[in-house]
Amino acid sequence: MSTSQLVFFGLAFATLFSAVLVIAARNPINSAMSLVATFLFLAAIYAQLLAHTIAVLQVLVYAGAIMVLFLFVIMLLSLTHLGDPTPPPALHQVVGGVAAVAVLAGLVVAIWRWHEMAPVGRAREGLLRFGTLEQVGGLLYTRWLLPFEAVSLLLLVAMVGAVVVAKPRI
Amino acid sequence: MQISPVDTQNYLLLAATLFCTGMLGVLVRRNALVVFMSIELMLNAANLTFLAAARERLDATGHLAALFVIAVAAAEAAIGLAIVIAVFRNRGTVNVEDIRTMKY
């Protein structure tokens, strides 16, 4: 097993472990900190996938901005008290858990068969440029300029909407 | 410069597991904030799939899809957390089972 495979499996295990902690932790603060760890491990996996730009954005936007927003809201609502002990699982929770496991099984089977049916050969040219800010920016500001501008409009609407929704009186 | 010898299949399996972890959180947890965090997990699993496919095909368009997903996730987090604050102000709870005015 080569070094990069070892690195990948270590990162994958760390990602899944912290992801499970996110949904298992009773205190929302612990969930949020586990989510930060998940995002950082995922950023390392993105970098291993040659997506350097997205890895940097993952750290800046996800682990930085979005998680600060989450922590800020948790602190604001002072939800750190654990409350009464967890009630027994309701029927819809059991069904939801079974559904999640079933979806996972279906996805694993599908990925397995995809690998057997269509092994795609890999070209090795142009790897030095792949995933760099230059290439991603070049695509973003030429062919995908309209979606990019639409996203900026979406962010503006979300910003105004967040103010309108969260304000007690306008 | 060389592609690391980790198969794309491994990344897809990791993404599938991460997605189902997030789905489990959305379906099972009662705290609205943890439900939101689980949604972020699912979005990241989608991102991982995009990036793995981008490397498989050596096509950077998948990176743009991941970029747009990150932007939409930021918008979703802002709006969602604003709604959580508004609900907490009106009801004094963020337990999703206590918020059921529109259920029946």
Side-chain angles (χ1 to χ4, degrees), chain A residues 16-106:
Chain A
L16 287 178
F17 182 72
S18 46
V20 168
L21 277 186
V22 171
I23 64 166
R26 290 198 60 199
N27 191 332
I29 295 270
N30 292 349
S31 284
M33 297 321 287
S34 307
L35 195 56
V36 172
T38 312
F39 288 158
L40 290 178
F41 290 130
L42 270 175
I45 289 179
Y46 293 171
Q48 206 193 14
L49 274 169
L50 304 177
H52 319 293
T53 313
I54 305 297
V56 171
L57 281 176
Q58 170 91 358
V59 174
L60 284 180
V61 178
Y62 255 125
I66 294 182
M67 287 323 293
V68 166
L69 198 61
F70 268 100
L71 283 172
F72 191 73
V73 170
I74 293 173
M75 301 283 186
L76 191 70
L77 303 185
S78 58
L79 293 171
T80 48
H81 67 276
L82 297 178
D84 44 339
T86 318
L91 177 65
H92 67 268
Q93 287 177 313
V94 177
V95 173
V98 172
V101 174
V103 168
L104 177 62

Side-chain angles (χ1 to χ4, degrees), chain B residues 47-66:
Chain B
N47 264 351
L48 184 57
T49 311
F50 273 124
L51 295 177
R55 192 196 63 158
E56 178 75 25
R57 306 173 60 97
L58 279 186
D59 181 354
T61 315
H63 293 193
L64 293 185

Side-chain angles (χ1 to χ4, degrees), chain B residues 8-20:
Chain B
T8 305
Q9 195 189 17
N10 293 330
Y11 292 103
L12 293 182
L13 285 174
L14 173 63
T17 319
L18 203 59
F19 183 87
C20 290

Side-chain angles (χ1 to χ4, degrees), chain A residues 85-122:
Chain A
T86 318
L91 177 65
H92 67 268
Q93 287 177 313
V94 177
V95 173
V98 172
V101 174
V103 168
L104 177 62
L107 282 173
V108 167
V109 169
I111 292 166
W112 200 261
R113 291 178 60 190
W114 168 82
H115 188 68
E116 279 181 351
M117 278 161 54
V120 180
R122 292 185 194 146

